[in-house]
Amino acid sequence: MKTTVIAVDGYASTGKSTLSKRLASELNFTYIDTGYMYRVVSYFALNNNLITNGVILEDQLEVALAKTNFTWSENSESKQMMFNGRVYGDEIRTLEISTWVSRIAQLGFVREHLVNQQRILSQLGSVVMDGRDIGTVVFANADYKFFLTADPKVRAQRRYDELQGKGEDVRFDEILKNVVDRDHQDSTRAISPLKKAADAIEIDTTLFSVEEVFQKMVSTIKSS
Ligand code: CDP
């Protein structure tokens, strides 16, 4: 059976997850949020004393991570990704996790472990996968590749509204700083840096609603 892979990469808070989830639901594909995986590992490190005094204990994290895995939950109607048997939610979307995640994501052994897991998780069939290195590394042969960008202030405002809506006490300037810092760290890291694949379709979402971007993606897929 021929399976299809849609890769959605781009900068922080460009709407990748929202759009990828909708696309997967529209096409009846599995949605794989790879940012979730890097965030969960950051949460795991923070909550197991593998980050102390601002330092990541890399050797210990590597040993601990090797014993972990991601699986699909079997008993829920919508497929959810579990890490060591547990589904994670808002606790991995906090500003604290966002300030650590790009440092965790630049570690070679973390990327190697997660990319392996991503390939295993996608063996079920057609997927929409979003992240930073999907169209360039994880699925360099993806059938469709999108690369999302937007003005940093607009992206920070979207993330600010989201976190405020969840009751997190955050300031706009710290969110903006986090978005800009992460873009910089993600784009300049040595391994699998964030960059547009040569054959990806770039969409600047600054002036468009989620619905408009979604329609653009769907029409690109259906017309080719
Ligand atoms: O949703 P948001 O744009 O804030 O980010 P995310 O997709 O949840 O990803 C969080 C972080 O994980 C990114 O800033 C990257 O540092 C890292 N990441 C990565 O390195 N490679 C991926 N394929 C996905 C995420």
Side-chain angles (χ1 to χ4, degrees):
M1 186 185 74
K2 157 95 178 95
T3 55
T4 302
V5 174
I6 300 176
V8 182
D9 290 302
Y11 293 99
S13 298
T14 39
K16 295 183 301 296
S17 320
T18 309
L19 287 156
S20 301
K21 208 180 290 172
R22 272 195 69 181
L23 216 47
S25 146
E26 167 89 9
L27 301 168
N28 209 12
F29 287 8
T30 298
Y31 167 52
I32 301 181
D33 177 355
T34 65
Y36 169 93
M37 302 171 82
Y38 289 92
R39 286 175 176 277
V40 165
V41 171
S42 307
Y43 183 90
F44 174 76
L46 275 167
N47 286 279
N48 286 284
N49 300 321
L50 299 171
I51 298 178
T52 50
N53 299 325
V55 176
I56 302 169
L57 306 180
E58 296 183 23
D59 293 346
Q60 293 180 36
L61 177 59
E62 183 168 7
V63 171
L65 202 56
K67 297 178 196 146
T68 66
N69 70 347
F70 287 85
T71 50
W72 293 115
S73 65
E74 280 161 20
N75 51 5
S76 85
E77 280 174 24
S78 68
K79 205 184 287 170
Q80 288 183 302
M81 199 193 290
M82 299 194 293
F83 174 71
N84 281 353
R86 175 182 157 194
V87 175
Y88 287 77
D90 287 347
E91 66 273 41
I92 60 159
R93 311 269 166 209
T94 62
L95 185 57
E96 188 191 18
I97 297 294
S98 294
T99 53
W100 277 103
V101 67
S102 291
R103 281 183 59 189
I104 292 284
Q106 66 191 17
L107 301 171
F109 67 86
V110 171
R111 301 206 73 81
E112 201 178 308
H113 183 69
L114 294 191
V115 170
N116 273 334
Q117 298 280 308
Q118 286 154 21
R119 294 197 173 123
I120 294 169
L121 289 165
S122 54
Q123 280 165 359
L124 284 181
S126 295
V127 295
V128 181
M129 192 180 273
D130 80 341
R132 303 291 188 286
D133 58 344
I134 312 307
T136 50
V137 175
V138 184
F139 283 111
N141 293 325
D143 302 86
Y144 303 95
K145 297 183 186 179
F146 294 98
F147 190 83
L148 304 185
T149 66
D151 178 272
K153 286 209 177 89
V154 170
R155 293 190 274 129
Q157 187 67 48
R158 290 175 186 160
R159 185 51 54 98
Y160 176 77
D161 293 344
E162 185 188 326
L163 291 175
Q164 285 274 320
K166 287 177 183 164
E168 204 181 325
D169 185 20
V170 285
R171 290 201 324 264
F172 176 78
D173 60 335
E174 54 186 8
I175 300 285
L176 178 60
K177 181 175 183 318
N178 176 258
V179 161
V180 172
D181 285 353
R182 271 199 294 139
D183 286 350
H184 178 71
Q185 289 178 62
D186 292 345
S187 313
T188 56
R189 69 179 172 227
I191 311 164
S192 311
L194 162 66
K195 65 169 188 243
K196 179 184 166 297
D199 52 350
I201 295 166
E202 182 166 336
I203 305 177
D204 183 340
T205 72
T206 308
L207 301 173
F208 298 113
S209 65
V210 168
E211 185 58 33
E212 286 168 316
V213 181
F214 175 69
Q215 292 306 337
K216 200 175 167 65
M217 291 168 102
V218 170
S219 65
T220 304
I221 292 163
K222 295 198 166 155
S223 68
S224 61

